[in-house]
Every structure is written in structure tokens, then in C-alpha cells.
Amino acid sequence: MTTAADATPAVVELSGISVRFVVPTERIVSFKEYVLRRLRNQISHRELWALRGVDLDIRAGETVGLVGRNGAGKSTLLKVISRVLRPTEGRVVVRGRTAPLLELGAGFHFDLTGRENVFLNATLFGYPKSLIAEQLPAMVEFSELSEFIDMPVRNYSNGMLARLGFAVATQFRPDILILDEILAVGDAGFQQKCLARVEDFRRAGTSILLVSHDLETIASYCDRVAWLEHGKLVAVGTPEAVLEPFHEAVMSPRDAV
Amino acid sequence: MTRSQHDAEPARGAAAPEPPGPDSPAPKAPVEKIPVPKRPVLRPAVPIYDSAARPHPLVEELQELVRYRDLVLQWSRRNIQLRYKRSVLGVLWTLLEPLMLMTILALVFSNAFGDLIPDFPIYLLSGLILFDFFSRSTLQIVEEIIASQSLAERIHVPRSAFATAAIVTYLVNWLIAHLPLLGLVLFFDRPLSWAIVTILPGMVLTAMFALGIGLVVATIGAFFVDIRLTYQVLLTGWFYATPIIYSLSIVPESRHRIFALNPLLHLCELVRSPIYDGVVAAPVHWWVSLAIGFTTLAVGWAVFTHWRNAFDYRS
């Protein structure tokens, strides 16, 4: 896969991405308190750069692993790509549809039936209603929940909820699939099915961005690995080239990098 | 939207790498019972997101709201469904609730103001269901924006869709509440005229005003959780400041100008005159309502898209 990488266009182009957060030094949740403090001039903030000048390209069909310690900026990077956050500086270009598999069963309501929840969940991803109606049978079939689909989801097990969520989220092949840890959805048989679907996507040209703390998973799935540290990209390269030094850095004391 | 569907072909190797390539579910024998999962390609064209070409948040939110219009409808449907699933009486409740409130208020206040207002129940109910819409929809917007917080932090979705859905939900509710009101009109043998169709634009203007106010309160609510309580107190005051249980005729002439500063007074006239007096509301109320509906919505939208987004960058 990596050999063809240079020829294929980048589906995600991150250039000089920086994201700034403003962190209040003290949490003020009450309006009254805010007004009082404002009057006494006791409001203070500090800036926090979650990402600082990140450059990264992801090409079509490529699987890129993202590693870093907690708070290194991995989630923020995912949010920038899935357009939840706007970069404070820099530019992100995404060519194609992203499917974040972070929020399986988003918006599910326990009092509604499986069918009603499929419509809610899929419209949250921006699908038109007519398309959902058309694809509903296929989603239900994949989730293996046809007997339960008109039952309120409060009667579903966690595994069943995840299966339905996965079926909706992956009904359409995305151009970029964002995975936060490899999904453990349902029983072993269903997990196989999920992995097979992700593999299908990959073969059909979907790029995958995989965040994981499990370095073996990263090593076995990814063509390239990007290492984030304090919001900056430390290294990008083959799993062999990046994971070894990363592992060492993580094992050594915190201030090593 | 053009879509091509491909049945699974038994042998397809690695598909073409270019983005618009057709989707091909490759054979995965043992786990899959049914061999043909039809998975269409969802791409009229490859959508390109370029942060540099992103329009101003004010415009972008509007574009996204239009794109997610099915979410608005689906979310409103959900709200209505939940309301009915939770109560035994279901739709009947929507009809009874305002009637019951009206009856109580009519009994309490008919001695005080009832003599000045003929067929007091009609007058009262018409104003009540307007205020009911206004208070519930704006509070619902605040709730929805808080509830969708964790969702909107993880997936890209226009938050205004939830606010708009709250408005749609209670507009439907308000429309249904007109049935008992019409029943009262027939019961008291008041004349019905074609003017009642002008209630609809009056409702739309009220909805625009409510959306604007709701967005502002929700924006403040993102920063300060106690805004809801403050707003509820404000709503109670607002209710008594609006001629709903009384008419302006009991207010000294000199104070009418102060009362006229209340947008709800004008909006209330738009929806009450047609059913109570059988005439279209006076033009002055229409002009004021038009100006207020559009201005409030525009201001609310600007405040929401600017400050609500800013909130995401706090942590």
C-alpha cells in the first residue's frame, strides 16, 4: 500500500495546524459569580495550544496510526479532521466523507424503538431521510437485530446497541474512517464481521486513521505512524521506525521528550 | 442524488484507489450468512472540506442547518413521540392541558378581570397557548443545547438543528392547542371569520422571536449553568407583564407606551385578534412583530454562532 502512496492524492492535508484553547484559571459556573468577579477584575485565562504546527498528509487507501501520550493532542487532531473544531491557525483540506467511529449510537434514546433510533442516528450523521429508509433493511440485517428492531432499545443489551450503532455508522463507505481504538463490538462473531467490513473499506480505497494505545495493533494495521507529543508532531514514518523510539520515550520519565 | 448500487461481485480485487470508485463489498464467506449486502456509494460528488474556504460561522451554521434539515424534522418527531409515549393520555393531553390551566385561571381571575372581557375563556386561552409555546420552546432550546454538548464535541453536527427542532416541536403543539380554542369559540357562539388564517403568520413570527431569544439564553447557558433558573424567574415576570389574564384596558392610558415595549404584547395581538375579535390585528402590531421577529432571530443567530463556538475552545 505504501508503495503507491506517492502517486495517489492526499485525502487529508494538514498544514501548519494549530489549535488554541482558552483555559479559565478558575472554573466559574455561576452567572452571578462571573459578574461579581468581572467587576472586581478577577477573571483570568491562560492559553493552551493543543496542537502546534502539525503537518500531515493522509493518502487514499492508507492506514495511518496516531500515537502519543494522554493529552498529546490526538483527540484534538481527530476533531480538526472531522470538522468539529476549526484550526486556530493553518489549513486542513479533507477530500471526501469522514466517518468517525467514535460515537456509536449517537443520539440513541432508550424509549424509542430500534427503527426510530436508526433514523435519528443516521440523520445526525447528515444522511437524508429517504436514503435511510432505503438502506434500513440492509442496516438491520447487518446488525442481526431484525427480530428486535421494533422494540424500545431500553431492552437491548450493550452489545446489541453497539451492533446497531456500528451498522448505521458503516452503512456507507467513507473516504476516511476514524477509529479510536479497534472496536470491540458485540461477540467474537460480530467483531469478525466488523473487522471484515473495515477491511473491505480499506481495500476499496478508504483511508483509515487509527488511534490506539496498543502498539501491537498499530504495528499490525498501519502503513505509517504519526507520533504526537505536546501538540507537536515528533515523527512520522513506518511503524518500525516510529514505534521503537516512541516506546522508549513512553517508558522513560515524563520530561524525556 | 445519484447513487449506483452494486450487487456483490464474487471476485473483485483491490478496487480503484481514486475516491469516486464504486464500493464493492468483497466476499467474506464464513461470517456472513447473506451474500449480498447492498452498500451504495454515497457521493454525488466528492465533498471537499477546506478550512481555509470555510465561510463565516454565521453563514456556515445556516448552510449546515439547511443541509441537516432532515435532522430537524427527525428530532422534532422524536420530541413529539417521546411526549406521547410517556403520557397515558397521549395526544389528548395536549388538548386537555391548556384547557385545564385556562379553567383554573378563568375561575381565579374572572371576578377580577372577567367582567371587563366578554367570553373571558377564549381571550385567556388564546394568550395562554401563545405564552406556553414561548416559554416551553425557549426553555427546551436551552435544554437541547446543553444535552447535545457531548454529541457536538465528537461529531460534526449543527447545534442550531436542535434549537430549531425545539421550535418545530412546540409549534406543532401550539397548533394542536388551537383545537380546544376553536371548540370554545363554537361553545360561546362567537363569530368565526376568515381572519383566523392570519394566526399562522403570527405564529411564525412568534417562533422566530422565540428562536432568537432561545439561542441567546442557550449561549449564556453554555457558560453559566444557573441561567436557566434566572430565565425562569424572568419568564414568570414576563407572563404578568403581557396582557394575557387581563386586558390593556385596565392599565392606565399613560402606561400603555411602556407595555408596548413588550414584543409579546404585539405577537399576542396577532394570534388573538383573529379568533377573539374575528378581525386581523391592527397594522401597527404587524409592523412591530415583523421587525422584532426578524431582528431578534438575526441577533440570536449571530450571538449563538459567535459565542457558542467560542465556548468550544475553552477547556
Side-chain angles (χ1 to χ4, degrees), chain A residues 46-239:
Chain A
R46 70 192 167 82
E47 289 188 349
L48 182 117
W49 289 88
L51 290 176
R52 203 79 215 239
V54 172
D55 295 293
L56 181 69
D57 282 3
I58 299 172
R59 296 185 192 87
E62 194 183 23
T63 300
V64 175
L66 198 55
V67 294
R69 293 173 180 168
N70 287 329
K74 301 189 297 288
S75 313
T76 308
L77 192 64
L78 297 189
K79 285 178 186 179
V80 167
I81 295 172
S82 55
R83 63 186 292 198
V84 171
L85 290 178
R86 232 180 231 254
T88 315
E89 285 166 13
R91 181 179 184 189
V92 51
V93 180
V94 179
R95 295 188 183 85
R97 207 174 59 79
T98 48
L101 285 194
L102 312 165
E103 192 82 345
L104 287 183
F108 271 15
H109 197 291
F110 282 119
D111 285 340
L112 299 175
T113 66
R115 185 189 304 273
E116 287 161 346
N117 273 308
V118 166
F119 277 96
L120 274 181
N121 188 216
T123 42
L124 273 171
F125 292 133
Y127 301 131
K129 200 187 158 201
S130 52
L131 190 63
I132 303 164
E134 185 190 299
Q135 294 301 315
L136 185 76
M139 297 184 202
V140 174
E141 188 194 293
F142 186 84
S143 67
E144 301 168 9
L145 288 168
S146 44
E147 298 161 58
F148 310 102
I149 201 66
D150 288 310
M151 222 182 245
V153 300
R154 66 163 65 258
N155 301 324
Y156 283 28
S157 68
N158 284 336
M160 289 160 84
L161 284 174
R163 264 148 62 189
L164 194 59
F166 184 88
V168 176
T170 60
Q171 180 58 24
F172 306 101
R173 186 178 73 80
D175 298 284
I176 303 107
L177 187 66
I178 299 175
L179 284 171
D180 199 346
E181 297 291 342
I182 284 287
L183 294 147
V185 174
D187 53 29
F190 196 78
Q191 280 182 31
Q192 277 277 296
K193 204 164 143 181
C194 294
L195 285 178
R197 185 171 259 193
V198 171
E199 193 50 44
D200 274 357
F201 285 165
R202 181 148 97 147
R203 237 175 284 153
T206 295
S207 309
I208 297 171
L209 185 58
L210 171 65
V211 177
S212 182
H213 287 288
D214 179 11
L215 301 189
E216 280 185 31
T217 309
I218 297 272
S220 59
Y221 283 94
C222 300
D223 305 312
R224 280 197 302 152
V225 179
W227 171 10
L228 271 177
E229 195 71 57
H230 300 306
K232 286 179 186 145
L233 215 49
V234 177
V236 187
T238 60

Side-chain angles (χ1 to χ4, degrees), chain A residues 4-24:
Chain A
D6 292 332
T8 51
V11 281
V12 177
E13 271 174 45
L14 300 166
S15 31
I17 295 292
S18 298
V19 173
R20 182 186 55 206
F21 288 111
V22 175
V23 187

Side-chain angles (χ1 to χ4, degrees), chain B residues 163-306:
Chain B
T164 315
I167 292 289
V168 174
T169 306
Y170 285 102
L171 262 180
V172 172
N173 216 45
W174 191 11
L175 211 55
I176 297 173
H178 274 88
L179 288 175
L181 182 59
L182 281 171
L184 279 184
V185 172
L186 297 177
F187 180 79
F188 284 95
D189 213 17
R190 302 276 298 201
L192 263 181
S193 86
W194 62 269
I196 61 163
V197 298
T198 64
I199 290 178
L200 291 171
M203 286 171 77
V204 171
L205 288 174
T206 311
M208 290 167 69
F209 178 65
L211 183 55
I213 296 288
L215 288 174
V216 172
V217 181
T219 307
I220 304 172
F223 293 89
F224 311 105
V225 283
D226 64 340
I227 192 66
R228 210 165 2 155
L229 298 170
T230 315
Y231 179 63
Q232 249 157 351
V233 173
L234 198 76
L235 273 176
T236 311
W238 207 338
F239 177 75
Y240 290 108
T242 312
I244 293 169
I245 53 171
Y246 58 90
S247 94
L248 212 51
S249 61
I250 65 157
V251 178
E253 198 87 35
S254 58
R255 300 237 181 102
H256 281 198
R257 287 171 78 179
I258 299 169
F259 272 71
L261 293 176
N262 176 7
L264 284 182
L265 179 143
H266 303 280
L267 291 162
C268 196
E269 285 299 328
L270 299 193
V271 298
R272 190 169 53 199
S273 295
I275 199 122
Y276 182 69
D277 300 317
V279 294
V280 179
V284 58
H285 297 305
W286 280 102
W287 289 119
V288 173
S289 298
L290 268 170
I292 278 182
F294 280 93
T295 318
T296 312
L297 182 54
V299 170
W301 192 267
V303 167
F304 184 74
T305 50
H306 183 266

